[in-house]
Amino acid sequence: MKQRINGSEAIIRSIIEEGIDTIFGYPGGAIMPVYDALYDHGEKLKHILTRHEQGAIHAAQGYARVSGKTSVCFATSGPGATNLLTGITDAMLDSTPVVCITGQVASPLLGTDAFQESDILGMSTPVTKWNYQITDVNEIPEVMAKAFYIASSGRPGPVLIDLAKDVQFAMLDFEYKKCNSIRSYMPYLPIDEKQVEAAAEAINKAKKPFLLFGQGVLFSQAEEELKQLVEKADIPAAWTLLGVSALPTNHPLNVGMLGMHGNYGPNIKTNECDLLIAVGMRFDDRVTGKVAAYAPQAKVIHIEVDPAEINKIIPAHYPVLGDAKKVLSKLIPLVNENKHTDWIQEFKDAYETEFEKVIKNDIYRNNGKISMGEVVRVASEKTNGDAICVTDVGQQQMFAARYFQFKHTRSMVTSGGLGTMGFGLPAAVGAQFGRPDRTVVTFIGDGGFQMTMQELGTIAQENIPVKIIILNNNFLGMVRQWQDLFFEKRYSFTNISGPDFVKLAEAFGIPAQRVISNSELEGAISEMVNHNGPYLLEVMVEKEDNVFPMVPAGASVSDILLEKPTT
Amino acid sequence: MKQEYIITAYSENHIGLLNRITIVFTRRKVNIESLTVSESAHKGISKFTIVVIVTEEQVKKIVQQIDKQVEVLKAFYHTNDEMIYQEIALYKVATDDLTESDKIETLIRKHNARILEITKEYTVIEKTGHKEDTQEFFNDLNQFRVMQFIRSGRIAITKSPIERLSEFLKERDEILSETD
């Protein structure tokens, strides 16, 4: 039955109809009517006021990534909307389903350079899956339904809905119907059985198959199918940065991370396998290194929901278009049970080499000082692998990905494609709302922390029990590492000072502690984990540690370095 | 090897979609040689005809990216010899030059052009053809000084007997009815 309500109320009701219970946002002039409508719906819709719109969208991303649900973020017109753009771009590259609602000047003022007018539709076009400006109030239910359908289906992504202010006041006869199809948009193409059969045959024939899995496995909830496939055919499997946690870290066939700072075995074996089976991943340049030297010897199966990814970077001999869960379900019965014991042993041997040369010293530092890898190991142990790990961008991100142990799916939140410094703290806020039942531990460098540290205010106001670990080396560590390796140690503007982070946290009413020596580390992390509420731990880590292994930019994955070259 | 390709795309007629499509080209630093957008035989569905000079690998990826846009129904690419195509050009010359001798008239006959309008001051001539043809006519006519010249973007039609969009819409309706 239709109800006569105004546009703002229609926006809020549409969001409730979609099963959303949390919104991250920041009010302002052009979105005030929507905030006014929100005021009456406190029982159904929780609104988290961040300290900056960038914080709102990163929080929404964190929420979506851990919960698997679409998240919503509000901002006003002009600067409110433009402040979302970094997060929208991040969500686009990492395929995160976020619906952004921005206020806009009243429709008669569009295009007049009115106060706080920005062409957010034009600006967000390259970085949204879809965007739309509503200037007719009657469009609201249909456009909102389309927004949620597009954001979450197929390969997910951000959608922006720009809402002219006059529309927020105008009246309509409201009736909501969820969208489940759009003529011009096919998020899931029917699976071609022949493609599946061809892929199965290739797997059955392969002597050295190697499976790579990405975030597509998480999107389609294909974790169980992935496990069944690798176990049945006995295939070593490695993950992309965003695919991590789709297979538990301690699974015997989980051979580690791909790419620039991934594990040694997965990188060198890429160029020794005879079959690459890529599932829900897109061959990012951080994974492939030099494309021309990437697995030239191997046949490639590419299981992917987005047709534009097929043959985009690495040509697929056996493309299989479709949702990972559906494709794998069809593939598993066609795949023979198999054993690849010797081949898998090669990965184990490579791991031993890496352990001796890199890992041991990363996670057990015996000189009294503290390494980032060790902090990650201890935090992972103290949370029994049950925590959600959120990272910022840089060295701590790579150490966290390498050394955090995952038991459960959707347990890592990190900015992969865009590499957005400042992502970690607000993303942790969202992750905690997405999974209030789980401990959220976030690793942030002292540089990235200073980009969005105002979100400590949000954490304090809402008493969000996130555990914040600042790995402080007074450097922009990853850039410094590159200066060390490739720019003759010319440390151009990578020295960075900071405030007293402990006092800063305390100023927000958040308990905090600083760790200086290795002997205090375990106790401090235990204390943090056991604390009921938000907690900040500043750990003074070794100043000039580098992340290894490393595939230098533009090099082949087989040229992965285990240590700094001596020449 | 780079060569001329004709990209055709069918889309919903929505504001902002042209921007989405041109971004696919600008991001890859590919110049659009010509662009024509108009309503197709199906009401509410626009047809884009875009000419680019790229390698086949590039054009494949561009078409994949256009196809990926939510409001695009389907995109295709073709080489010139797979399509019948035309452009239209208009030429304005001084009517005095036309009447002074029969030279312009001869050129009009030779090039299969036609006169659209004659006033005391000027005459507008129209010619359709490939770019080389309309250009050649321009070069010939320009001995008499062409006052104004304009050429349209390309329009093109496949040599295949099937209307692909109708086929495509039928297939899609079938898929959608199965998933409902």
Side-chain angles (χ1 to χ4, degrees), chain A residues 289-301:
Chain A
K290 186 181 179 185
V291 169
Y294 184 80
Q297 81 295 343
K299 296 275 191 246
V300 175
I301 296 174

Side-chain angles (χ1 to χ4, degrees), chain A residues 31 155 179 203 215 392 484:
Chain A
I31 197 161
R155 179 177 180 177
C179 174
I203 294 173
Q215 200 183 194
D392 208 76
D484 176 7

